[in-house]
Amino acid sequence: MRWSRYFWYTSKDDPADVEAPSHKYLVKGGFIKQIASGVYQYTPPALRVLRKIESIVRKEMDRTGAQEVLLTVLNPAELWRETGRWDLYGRELFTLKDRHGRDYCLGPTHEEEVTDLFRSYVTSYRQLPLILYQIQVKFRDEKRPRFGLIRAREFIMKDAYSFDLDEFSAIMSYEAMKFAYDRIFKKMRLKTLMVEASVGAIGGKSSHEFVVLTDYGEARVAYCENCSYAANAEIVPLGKGKEEDEPEMPLQKVATPGVSTIEELSRFLKVPPRKILKGLLYVVEEKEPLLVFIRGDRQVDENKLEAILGTDNFRLAKDEEIKEILGTVRGFVGPLSLKNNVRVLWDNSLYGVKNMVVAINEPDVHYVNANPGRDFHYGDMVDVCQVEEGDPCPKCGAPLKVNRGLEVGHIFLLGTRYSEPMKAFVKDSEGKDVPVVMGCYGIGISRCMSAIVEQHHDEKGIKWPTPVAPFELDIVCVNISDEEQRAVAEKLYTTAQEMGVEVLYDDRDESPGSKFADADLCGFPYRIVVGKKVKEGKVEVQSRHTGERWDAPIEEAVGQVKELIHQEKL
Amino acid sequence: MRWSRYFWYTSKDDPADVEAPSHKYLVKGGFIKQIASGVYQYTPPALRVLRKIESIVRKEMDRTGAQEVLLTVLNPAELWRETGRWDLYGRELFTLKDRHGRDYCLGPTHEEEVTDLFRSYVTSYRQLPLILYQIQVKFRDEKRPRFGLIRAREFIMKDAYSFDLDEFSAIMSYEAMKFAYDRIFKKMRLKTLMVEASVGAIGGKSSHEFVVLTDYGEARVAYCENCSYAANAEIVPLGKGKEEDEPEMPLQKVATPGVSTIEELSRFLKVPPRKILKGLLYVVEEKEPLLVFIRGDRQVDENKLEAILGTDNFRLAKDEEIKEILGTVRGFVGPLSLKNNVRVLWDNSLYGVKNMVVAINEPDVHYVNANPGRDFHYGDMVDVCQVEEGDPCPKCGAPLKVNRGLEVGHIFLLGTRYSEPMKAFVKDSEGKDVPVVMGCYGIGISRCMSAIVEQHHDEKGIKWPTPVAPFELDIVCVNISDEEQRAVAEKLYTTAQEMGVEVLYDDRDESPGSKFADADLCGFPYRIVVGKKVKEGKVEVQSRHTGERWDAPIEEAVGQVKELIHQEKL
């Protein structure tokens, strides 16, 4: 491909409002373009990357004996009503009506559809085990789409579904998928960690996520270097601590004019944050107020809160709402003199803390040395606390490590969550009807593209691993108006094509500097620079990964690159 | 692939409520399964066919220099408002809101999106010409989904868009696409006719359809064997005829008790149908009555009517509505004593007919020898008449041929229909901003699958052309419990795989009859039957296309098939 004829336009400027490196480089590098919040178009080079990722996934799925199908985007509501998910799935479900007023959703996952396909053809244990998969566009109306392809609302996914006669066999399928996932991510050059995860809206008995550690993941993962426990932080249980061993001091009211954050209060009163009772007012489903109390040094894990509330439709209250509901201002929300109609959650972290600083829903004043049981009372305690580095491992008690992570794969042992309500029964060897035991297995194909960039970039741009690079080789002609240079570049371009190297020939009439910058930004594994040294019969070869550069005789350059590419694709 | 392990289940029974052979065989053959009206799932063999069709299309598109992108299913309303299509497109547009109340449609075609992509990267004539394309799932809320994949609501489409500096260059792109389409359909073994077509909701300057002649097309095409004119019947103009040369007879009221159809009336009154004024009462947008009068021997073309009304939301009135609106009953709807609030359309066919039979909105009675001008008056005349075989060619006047047709491709010269309102301007060589001149080019990928079956089947089932067959060869082991037969079949299966033949090995424990029936139904181009003749060192080879069958030595059978396949794929 000649770049001068190719629909690929990079930008010199960093895109605005972009945090994740993958988001920045994919936009700046002209790979993706946002058309609506969390909805992206793919340009020709991006599609090349996507197809390579798909092809890696497809090959490994086929190798397990899984069979590819294509299900539909429009999912009729009737199917989702059979499993109850039409009402349970919540606001992430995009729904619509057709011209006759019938309800559909845009499939965010396809358990219902695939189970319907299964039950219309399979009736006997002899037809098992079976794994069906598809690679398809999916839709989730995310609360906060961000980080480009990382948390998108329209995305490409590989979803597989296993069907087995019994749980033992289902676990075999589950393990086969784990093994395939390992191979898939290795082939994409993604380093992943497998962690225990919440089954969430999919349901089922257990699940694991494959997570890429990066600062811009939408998840937090906790892992223990002592016992190898690893889990999505949102499911790591945090229990009550030990009771503090100190005498209860007398309650005292102090003026704290305008001292409203935990940090300010801690400084002002010379009390550690853990001794301060933090109160957060939420509004649930735009109507119900909810007060969450937690220790001043801890944060609320909104995923844990979502699990408790059964909805993701909640948010922190605005100043007016705090005023209206509690009669106070931000920073002075406390457990005292509450109106009865406010639901309250007390986090486990508060257990056993003595002599606390508490607000009393009155501006500019706090109590110090408040003690639960004496000065106020906890209700039932719950776990809504975000896990932090150093918290105890729930398996062995050793201190946990915590990292941001990006989920690229998620597998679920579903059991009969779908087959029971949908009556996907098969006859077993004794002629008895039993519900088929299912598993489901997702890979975020488009998200992998971002994950790869997260793990393979530097300050100049992307460093595509060779197996997924849009082009393996970039030939840069330094001075396109120099006849000799151009002739050599053209020759090398032809040679690369003939040798089966995926080559982009940068024949654009741009400055050498901007061509080199684009080559770094767009992340070609190899670059051949055709410049002044052609007079000595030489060109420069560069590796984007190692940063190495060396002169090679013109006639050997492409061969050298081809050999290196070959090694890297093994 | 071994059939015993493959997710492919045929049915012995014909599906209910199915008209088109392609619909019947694709459902019965286990290729597709309906999940909602006009929404189909694809099983593994269907996906193989689909991928082959896609790959033929992709190869030919790439050959023209077109570049593949991937646009989005969710189209934000703002883009469609820029071109006015948000309001114009009508009820075929699936629309929905996200959790923030923002409007989207599910892309039925992507002129807006691709123009937006274009304008964000292209600014100069130097970047032209350009053709972008994608293969993607599309959505249209069809009024009457039917014939399986032929008129579906969710379907796979290849859509391409050309961008040129001026109309001359745009016509070159248009011609290049015509040429590519010819090659594409030939490679799929589809015989197509290129016809002039309506631009419809896409808009633009002119358009052509590529049509497969079949009884189950959703279109009717008219063509002239004299001057080679060919067009979608809905755009073939029918003008006024000659005035009849006969004296006006005296008006007479006659009793026609219960004589309500044109045929009955013609027999009863001994008058040819063309002398009878036919009145049809429609209800438009569920509120406005509309009366259409047409000559008794002609039919209303509802596509022409849609073009006149600007909506597809109309239907024939029910008996109660005829009673309520006109005070009469079906068969006695006439032009006399009409209430003022009923809109009336008079078809051109009525022009010049004398001494007609007309109803008078009174049951069981008609006038005979009614003459317009004397006994009642025509309003402005329109063309809503369906073209019939023998109608005059609008180019040369020779009698037209008319056939049902299935549109598999549609190309449009758009001009600046989208670039003007969306400000997709480029600088020309003199630095002046000009709107880019566009074309758009669709192929119904999933519809092609049905079209191929329409053109390639017999009473037993499908006859897949080799280039798009799910498998090229079916090896049938007649008696799976016969050791010798099974050993030979296994050997041939291995040999076929090694020789690169796409083979399905029917190792199912089924009767030979049902295996043969499935082979015919599923349409494998070649079959090798391993039966009793293995004792003589022979197997039977069969061609599904020619029906030929011959004995071949075991060791030569696969080689023979491979050579035949090779010939057919050229």
Side-chain angles (χ1 to χ4, degrees), chain B residues 220-360:
Chain B
R220 294 170 75 248
V221 295
Y223 51 98
C224 174
E225 291 178 337
N226 182 51
C227 74
S228 87
Y229 170 81
N232 188 311
E234 75 192 42
I235 66 155
V236 176
L238 287 177
K240 296 172 182 165
K242 274 193 296 199
E243 200 149 333
E244 287 178 347
D245 184 23
E246 62 180 56
E248 294 187 352
M249 315 272 280
L251 187 69
Q252 202 187 335
K253 191 169 179 176
V254 294
T256 50
V259 185
S260 65
T261 68
I262 299 290
E263 294 67 34
E264 287 165 0
L265 212 50
S266 166
R267 260 197 314 271
F268 186 82
L269 297 172
K270 301 191 174 50
V271 164
R274 59 168 283 121
K275 289 280 198 189
I276 303 171
L277 182 81
K278 179 158 68 176
L280 297 158
L281 183 66
Y282 286 90
V283 178
V284 182
E285 310 233 290
E286 294 302 325
K287 50 185 201 289
E288 295 297 332
L290 171 77
L291 248 173
V292 178
F293 289 110
I294 191 167
R295 228 168 60 194
D297 61 336
R298 305 305 299 245
Q299 306 299 323
V300 170
D301 183 326
E302 295 202 344
N303 291 314
K304 286 186 174 178
L305 187 54
E306 183 181 332
I308 289 170
L309 299 177
T311 175
D312 72 343
N313 186 7
F314 57 82
R315 57 173 174 78
L316 282 170
K318 294 173 196 151
D319 287 345
E320 316 78 274
E321 290 166 327
I322 295 174
K323 181 87 194 173
E324 189 191 325
I325 297 165
L326 301 176
T328 186
V329 299
R330 191 177 297 278
F332 296 92
V333 170
L336 299 180
S337 53
L338 279 176
K339 292 179 190 162
N340 286 332
N341 58 353
V342 180
R343 181 179 172 196
V344 180
L345 296 179
W346 304 90
D347 183 66
N348 282 341
S349 60
L350 294 167
Y351 180 82
V353 183
K354 292 204 173 145
N355 299 318
M356 303 174 84
V357 175
V358 304
I360 58 172

Side-chain angles (χ1 to χ4, degrees), chain B residues 354-374:
Chain B
K354 292 204 173 145
N355 299 318
M356 303 174 84
V357 175
V358 304
I360 58 172
N361 299 316
E362 195 181 303
D364 300 339
V365 65
H366 280 87
Y367 277 127
V368 296
N369 298 330
N371 282 289
R374 186 188 73 179

Side-chain angles (χ1 to χ4, degrees), chain B residues 465-501:
Chain B
T466 305
V468 296
F471 294 91
E472 296 159 344
L473 170 64
D474 177 36
I475 297 179
V476 180
C477 182
V478 173
N479 183 357
I480 207 83
S481 34
D482 179 303
E483 283 297 335
E484 192 180 0
Q485 285 183 27
R486 208 174 61 202
V488 170
E490 291 277 347
K491 179 80 185 61
L492 292 176
Y493 174 50
T494 310
T495 307
Q497 286 178 302
E498 285 165 1
M499 291 179 76
V501 173

Side-chain angles (χ1 to χ4, degrees), chain B residues 9-27:
Chain B
Y9 298 102
T10 61
S11 164
K12 299 229 182 300
D13 307 313
D14 285 352
D17 301 324
V18 153
E19 296 170 73
S22 61
H23 190 186
K24 178 169 107 178
Y25 292 135
L26 289 175
V27 170

Side-chain angles (χ1 to χ4, degrees), chain B residues 154-277:
Chain B
E154 174 172 337
F155 53 97
I156 298 165
M157 193 167 141
K158 186 283 300 177
D159 43 327
Y161 305 89
S162 64
F163 302 88
D164 286 275
L165 181 63
D166 53 35
E167 190 152 325
F168 179 78
S169 169
I171 290 170
M172 305 260 288
S173 296
Y174 193 80
E175 292 300 319
M177 284 295 125
K178 264 192 200 166
F179 185 72
Y181 274 38
D182 250 355
R183 292 184 55 99
I184 286 168
F185 295 123
K186 282 209 178 77
K187 282 191 160 184
M188 290 182 200
R189 307 297 187 254
L190 273 177
K191 282 194 206 77
T192 57
L193 184 70
M194 192 179 76
V195 306
E196 292 176 27
S198 156
V199 297
I202 305 283
K205 300 195 151 192
S206 70
S207 90
H208 288 91
E209 285 173 352
F210 290 78
V211 169
V212 168
L213 298 184
T214 146
D215 290 344
Y216 298 93
E218 82 300 1
R220 294 170 75 248
V221 295
Y223 51 98
C224 174
E225 291 178 337
N226 182 51
C227 74
S228 87
Y229 170 81
N232 188 311
E234 75 192 42
I235 66 155
V236 176
L238 287 177
K240 296 172 182 165
K242 274 193 296 199
E243 200 149 333
E244 287 178 347
D245 184 23
E246 62 180 56
E248 294 187 352
M249 315 272 280
L251 187 69
Q252 202 187 335
K253 191 169 179 176
V254 294
T256 50
V259 185
S260 65
T261 68
I262 299 290
E263 294 67 34
E264 287 165 0
L265 212 50
S266 166
R267 260 197 314 271
F268 186 82
L269 297 172
K270 301 191 174 50
V271 164
R274 59 168 283 121
K275 289 280 198 189
I276 303 171
L277 182 81

